[in-house]
Amino acid sequence: MKRLGRTFFSCDAAVLAPALLGCTFVRMTDAGERLAGLIVETEAYAGPADQAAHTRNGHRSPRNEVMWGDAGLCYVYFTYGMHHCMNVVCGGVDVPEAVLVRAIEPVDGIEIMRTNRSSTATGSKPRKHPLRDRDLCSGPARLCQALGISRDENGLDMTQSDRLWIEPAPDIGRGAVPPDRIVNTTRVGIDSAGPEWAGKPWRWYDRGSAHVSKR
DNA sequence: ATGACGATTTACT
DNA sequence: GTAAATCGTCATA
């Protein structure tokens, strides 16, 4: 099986983020089941200068240590006391950049994703209406829930791990998602970083996908 | 030691 | 549209 290697990830976050659209994110469960989906929405977090990034002002701690590691590592963090979000580390060693994967379109293991996202699995109230497939992975915490990603996956090297990797888009280089379908706009949930950084057009998504987190 | 807050989601008015 | 849930992390003391 083909997978993206170190070279692909060794670039600026604002370059990697749109390049990941159309690629397939793969997560193998402990039981050997393949959970996979097409990446349809990403955001770039760019190093010490970016006031919306966990590494703003060069901040380095046990929590964000993985962001300082080599490109291709998986950075998972816990937030709001209940959610996990997953990033692809890029840049290179001591260049703390990462791309947040905000949404994927489920392809393989959809039944397991439905189970992982069910109210019984999440502990939330019973759903009034059935969980739609478009709601399975349409958000950074939702996709982690669906794929069973937690801090256990933090630091995994996606260029080598047998549990986590990314497969190239069919027509990599030219872009699996036609350029006219890629929307480039501002990031979500970072207003507190201030207008200068909240205004950066560092979010990309596929206009044609029903699986993005926000339209 | 304490308090404020978060790269979110869900439920409710 | 607003509010609640819920806890690790970080700044302040």
Side-chain angles (χ1 to χ4, degrees):
Chain A
M1 62 191 73
K2 209 175 202 175
R3 75 164 73 188
L4 297 175
R6 192 85 60 206
T7 304
F8 187 90
F9 301 116
S10 301
C11 60
D12 293 346
V15 171
L16 180 64
L20 284 176
L21 295 180
C23 296
T24 300
F25 183 73
V26 183
R27 147 77 162 157
M28 294 300 294
T29 68
D30 293 340
E33 297 144 327
R34 175 186 163 108
L35 308 182
L38 294 171
I39 297 174
V40 296
E41 180 180 355
T42 57
E43 281 181 359
Y45 286 87
D50 184 359
Q51 292 303 297
H54 291 165
T55 49
R56 56 184 164 278
N57 306 325
H59 178 72
R60 184 168 184 164
S61 69
R63 181 207 198 193
N64 69 16
E65 179 62 29
V66 172
M67 277 189 72
W68 296 81
D70 210 348
L73 297 185
C74 176
Y75 170 47
V76 180
Y77 66 90
F78 182 66
T79 190
Y80 288 103
M82 64 190 88
H83 297 303
H84 295 278
C85 295
M86 202 228 57
N87 297 256
V88 180
V89 174
C90 54
V93 174
D94 290 337
V95 180
E97 301 202 10
V99 172
L100 173 70
V101 180
R102 286 193 57 89
I104 65 174
E105 176 179 330
V107 173
D108 297 323
I110 297 180
E111 285 302 330
I112 294 171
M113 296 184 198
R114 290 196 187 105
T115 301
N116 290 343
R117 289 272 296 135
S118 69
S119 53
T120 50
T122 62
S124 57
K125 293 188 176 182
R127 295 178 183 282
K128 193 170 183 178
H129 293 298
L131 182 59
R132 296 172 302 179
D133 283 358
R134 69 178 56 166
D135 293 324
L136 284 178
C137 301
S138 53
R142 287 177 173 180
L143 76 89
C144 283
Q145 189 126 59
L147 302 184
I149 290 173
S150 69
R151 275 170 293 189
D152 290 348
E153 280 66 45
N154 188 42
L156 287 184
D157 184 347
M158 295 197 282
T159 69
Q160 302 190 78
S161 172
D162 56 359
R163 301 163 57 190
L164 225 50
W165 66 86
I166 301 177
E167 297 174 356
D171 195 13
I172 203 65
R174 305 182 68 85
V177 179
D180 64 332
R181 267 176 43 193
I182 297 179
V183 178
N184 177 207
T185 182
T186 55
R187 296 175 289 181
V188 176
I190 55 160
D191 288 350
S192 63
E196 179 187 348
W197 296 94
K200 296 282 185 186
W202 283 350
R203 172 179 172 234
W204 289 264
Y205 66 88
D206 178 356
R207 188 200 313 276
S209 175
H211 299 261
V212 299
S213 68
K214 294 186 160 91
R215 309 303 298 269

